[in-house]
């Protein structure tokens, strides 16, 4: 396993760790404020490895078909994990999470179909933009949760924060299906070919 794939693997390993840290106060006597100083750096590191794996893959000329599949798989695992935390905490509506979950599973199906045809689908611009929105939305909501855990009074601006949260979540959903449509347009022929067979 090359260095780029190791950075990708770290996201997969750390995703359940983030989930455990996030809910640790509910399951134990650990102070909620203490978890803030762990989950935010942990989330930042996981997202930074997404940059690092691509950077080293290009720099060391280690771009591979495996990496093109492994990287988006790790991304999906991270984002579905963090979104699940947001749903349970009430920051994201469950229906939005389910729609995003369906999108990601359908995208995974297309990637598997493409592999059967010898095509490894890498991230397109729409997919990358969607990922950026996922990251921004996650950090935004985690920072809101951190204010609660640190007992920082944001009641005066809570209305504005909630509006921003809703806007970001809606944009995530739109970007998710817009990028999915883009993948269907460019790689839908792989599915059609199998239907004819």
């Amino acid at each position: 396993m090359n260095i780029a794939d190791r950075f990708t693997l770290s996201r997969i390993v750390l995703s359940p760790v983030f989930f455990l840290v996030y809910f640790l106060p509910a399951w134990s006597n650990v102070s909620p404020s203490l978890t803030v100083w762990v989950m935010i750096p942990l989330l930042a590191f996981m997202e930074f490895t997404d940059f690092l794996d691509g950077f080293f893959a290009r720099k060391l000329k280690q771009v591979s078909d495996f990496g093109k599949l492994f990287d988006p798989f790790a991304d999906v695992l991270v984002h579905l994990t963090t979104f699940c935390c947001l749903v349970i905490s009430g920051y994201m509506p469950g229906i939005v999470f389910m729609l995003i979950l369906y999108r990601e599973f359908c995208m995974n199906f297309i990637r598997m179909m493409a592999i059967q045809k010898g095509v490894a689908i890498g991230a397109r611009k729409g997919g990358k933009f969607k990922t950026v929105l996922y990251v921004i939305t996650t950090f935004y909501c985690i920072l809101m949760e951190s204010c609660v855990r640190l007992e920082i009074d944001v009641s005066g601006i809570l209305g504005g924060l909630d509006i921003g949260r809703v806007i970001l979540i809606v944009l995530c959903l739109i970007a998710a299906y817009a990028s999915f449509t883009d993948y269907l347009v460019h790689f839908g022929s792989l599915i059609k070919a199998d239907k004819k067979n």
Side-chain angles (χ1 to χ4, degrees):
M1 182 175 287
N2 60 44
I3 188 171
D5 292 337
R6 288 176 183 174
F7 279 121
T8 304
L9 179 62
S10 71
R11 293 206 296 287
I12 295 173
V13 173
L14 292 175
S15 289
V17 175
F18 178 88
F19 187 86
L20 289 173
V21 171
Y22 188 91
F23 289 108
L24 202 55
W27 300 332
S28 68
N29 294 323
V30 172
S31 169
S33 61
L34 182 62
T35 60
V36 172
W37 307 111
V38 178
M39 67 180 184
I40 290 181
L42 182 59
L43 180 60
F45 176 75
M46 288 193 296
E47 296 298 352
F48 186 51
T49 61
D50 191 19
F51 162 77
L52 291 176
D53 60 18
F55 173 79
F56 281 105
R58 291 186 295 270
K59 183 178 181 180
L60 302 177
K61 297 181 180 179
Q62 295 176 342
V63 177
S64 64
D65 286 346
F66 174 75
K68 290 179 181 178
L69 296 175
F70 200 36
D71 178 57
F73 171 74
D75 288 345
V76 168
L77 193 64
V78 169
H79 297 137
L80 290 182
T81 298
T82 55
F83 283 177
C84 181
C85 293
L86 299 183
V87 170
I88 295 173
S89 298
Y91 292 99
M92 176 179 283
I95 189 171
V96 172
F97 175 75
M98 289 306 299
L99 288 171
I100 288 176
L101 183 68
Y102 293 152
R103 182 269 185 202
E104 299 300 344
F105 272 109
C106 289
M107 190 64 229
N108 188 53
F109 174 75
I110 291 176
R111 291 185 190 279
M112 289 190 295
M113 294 289 290
I115 282 295
Q116 288 185 335
K117 301 293 183 179
V119 178
I121 299 177
R124 292 178 57 79
K125 288 183 179 180
K128 291 179 180 179
F129 179 70
K130 178 247 346 175
T131 298
V132 170
L133 277 175
Y134 280 10
V135 173
I136 292 173
T137 302
T138 299
F139 270 104
Y140 186 93
C141 293
I142 293 298
L143 288 175
M144 288 182 67
E145 174 64 16
S146 296
C147 288
V148 174
R149 297 188 182 198
L150 294 172
E151 298 182 352
I152 298 174
D153 184 13
V154 294
S155 57
I157 58 171
L158 188 58
L161 290 175
D162 273 333
I163 291 173
R165 175 180 59 84
V166 171
I167 290 173
L168 284 172
I169 289 173
V170 170
L171 288 176
C172 278
L173 190 58
I174 293 172
Y177 279 89
S179 65
F180 181 63
T181 301
D182 176 60
Y183 281 107
L184 281 179
V185 169
H186 284 85
F187 301 102
S189 58
L190 297 173
I191 300 175
K192 292 179 181 178
D194 264 15
K195 283 183 178 180
K196 291 179 181 177
N197 294 331

